[in-house]
Amino acid sequence: MITPNLSITKEDYVRAIYTLEEASLGTGVTQIADKLSLSKSSVSERLKDLVRDGLVIAEPYAEVKLTKAGLDIGKKLTFKHRTIEVFLNDVLKVPKDQIHEEAHRLEHAFSDEVIQRLADFLHNPTNDPHGSEIPKIDNWN
């Protein structure tokens, strides 16, 4: 996990918002709900927790924005996810259409140290098998 107090569910929300922001798809409750296949009411409730945790800024009827802390977590989770996708596809030869769900499960299990070693082993790839850029992480603290 990225931080000891952050649940997998909260990590999923932060990463969903990060990838929506990255793709400029909008980060309203509707977009987040669609991305996570959840109801808008469930997303609205969870966003209150993320605001309390200092990970997002969520005003009524406005786009949800990640705070600096939320952005750092989203970036690290995306780095983990996409690096794992490279490993699954390039090393284990798992077909591209199967790597996303597997990487999603594994991104929560890999420690920062191990994911850095995996990236080094893979010669620090810059893109995942789907062509998405793997974010650069300057500080793992």
Side-chain angles (χ1 to χ4, degrees), residues 17-84:
I17 296 165
Y18 177 87
T19 58
L20 287 167
E21 283 183 355
E22 179 184 50
S24 300
L25 294 175
T27 54
V29 171
T30 300
Q31 291 88 354
I32 297 166
D34 289 347
K35 177 92 174 157
L36 295 171
S37 300
L38 296 169
S39 70
K40 291 190 276 187
S41 61
S42 293
V43 170
S44 293
E45 283 304 309
R46 181 62 67 186
L47 286 175
K48 291 175 188 174
D49 294 338
L50 294 173
V51 168
R52 263 193 308 275
D53 292 343
L55 300 175
V56 300
I57 299 166
E59 299 292 332
Y61 309 106
E63 296 285 299
V64 175
K65 299 288 182 198
L66 292 171
T67 63
K68 170 77 168 93
L71 182 62
D72 289 346
I73 291 168
K75 193 174 187 181
K76 287 177 183 179
L77 283 166
T78 301
F79 177 91
K80 286 184 174 192
H81 182 96
R82 293 179 181 165
T83 301
I84 293 165

Side-chain angles (χ1 to χ4, degrees), residues 86-99:
V86 171
F87 175 73
L88 293 171
N89 187 247
D90 292 3
V91 178
L92 299 183
K93 306 301 182 200
V94 176
K96 275 191 214 180
D97 63 344
Q98 296 175 18
I99 60 175

Side-chain angles (χ1 to χ4, degrees), residues 97-114:
D97 63 344
Q98 296 175 18
I99 60 175
H100 179 74
E101 285 305 315
E102 195 66 35
H104 175 73
R105 287 188 290 274
L106 292 170
E107 73 193 34
H108 304 291
F110 275 72
S111 69
D112 292 350
E113 180 183 348
V114 170

